[in-house]
Structure formats: C-alpha cells, structure tokens
Amino acid sequence: MAKISYGRSVKPVAKNNARARRHMRRMLEAIACRKIEEILASELGWEPPARATELCRAENHCRRAVTDRVSKAVETETEYHKQIMAGAAKYPDYRMNSQFTKVCNEAGRQIHAVQKKCRFGNN
C-alpha cells in the first residue's frame, strides 16, 4: 500500500523562465560589481560606495507631498495643460493643409481627389 503524505514537496518547483534567468544573471553581475568596487576602494584608500536602501511602497506613499484635491482639479497651469493648449493652437494650421480640403464638382458633389502613389517610381 502506498504511503500518502501531505505538505511541502521534497523538491520545490523552481521557475526556469526568461525572467528568472535574467534576474539571476543581473544579481550575479551586481554582486561581482560590488566586489570589484570594494577591492578598488581598499587598494586606493577610498571608502566603498554606500548602498542606498530602498523604501517599501508604504513608506514611499507616506513621504509623498500632500496636495488638495480641489486645487489640483481647478489648477490649469500644469505641464500637461500647456501641452494640450500648444497642440490646440497648431490644429487650425494643420487642418488648412491641402490634404484636407474638399474638392467639389459643378453639381456640388465631393470628389475624392487623392493622388495615388506610384509603386515603381520614387514619388
């Protein structure tokens, strides 16, 4: 009779995909780079470069500057707003391009007058 055991497997399943291989390769490169920096620093009498510890997501969120939602919604002098207004100022000149003008015949019907590009020429 077979013995059934529950719980963790003897051999945990390791992910062997491109992402895991890339992270492992970069981790090994970073470790080698740090070792070289420490050796150079000790030989030249410098201090090894300090590694900045990264804050977790909640700590970053707490350090963020608080802004009032009303003033943020009403304020129009943002960089995004300036980009929109610059694009809107260019729009009439863009629409006056001859590509968008309507060509009509004597009966007032619109003619589709777009010149086809030649496949064999340099046009």
Side-chain angles (χ1 to χ4, degrees):
M1 182 174 228
K3 183 179 178 183
I4 300 173
S5 61
Y6 296 98
R8 294 182 64 174
S9 174
V10 177
K11 293 182 179 179
V13 178
K15 292 183 179 177
N16 192 13
N17 54 16
R19 180 177 182 254
R21 290 191 302 268
R22 182 177 64 248
H23 283 284
M24 183 62 71
R25 184 184 72 241
R26 289 182 181 173
M27 182 179 65
L28 293 174
E29 288 174 359
I31 291 170
C33 182
R34 286 183 189 147
K35 285 182 181 178
I36 291 171
E37 287 176 351
E38 290 174 2
I39 292 170
L40 285 174
S42 65
E43 291 294 323
L44 298 175
W46 298 339
E47 290 186 19
R51 299 289 171 199
T53 57
E54 294 182 9
L55 301 176
C56 69
R57 191 176 194 178
E59 291 171 337
N60 283 334
H61 183 71
C62 291
R63 288 177 178 236
R64 202 178 308 161
V66 179
T67 57
D68 184 26
R69 289 185 179 192
V70 175
S71 63
K72 189 174 181 180
V74 174
E75 182 182 323
T76 58
E77 288 301 319
T78 61
E79 189 65 33
Y80 181 66
H81 181 73
K82 290 175 185 174
Q83 290 175 4
I84 291 174
M85 295 307 290
K90 293 179 184 176
Y91 185 73
D93 297 332
Y94 174 73
R95 287 298 292 178
M96 294 305 293
N97 189 350
S98 63
Q99 178 183 359
F100 298 106
T101 56
K102 295 180 180 178
V103 179
C104 297
N105 62 5
E106 295 82 17
R109 294 186 181 156
Q110 183 178 347
I111 302 171
H112 185 69
V114 178
Q115 185 177 2
K116 292 184 179 180
K117 294 183 179 179
C118 181
R119 291 190 312 173
F120 304 107
N122 292 332
N123 294 351

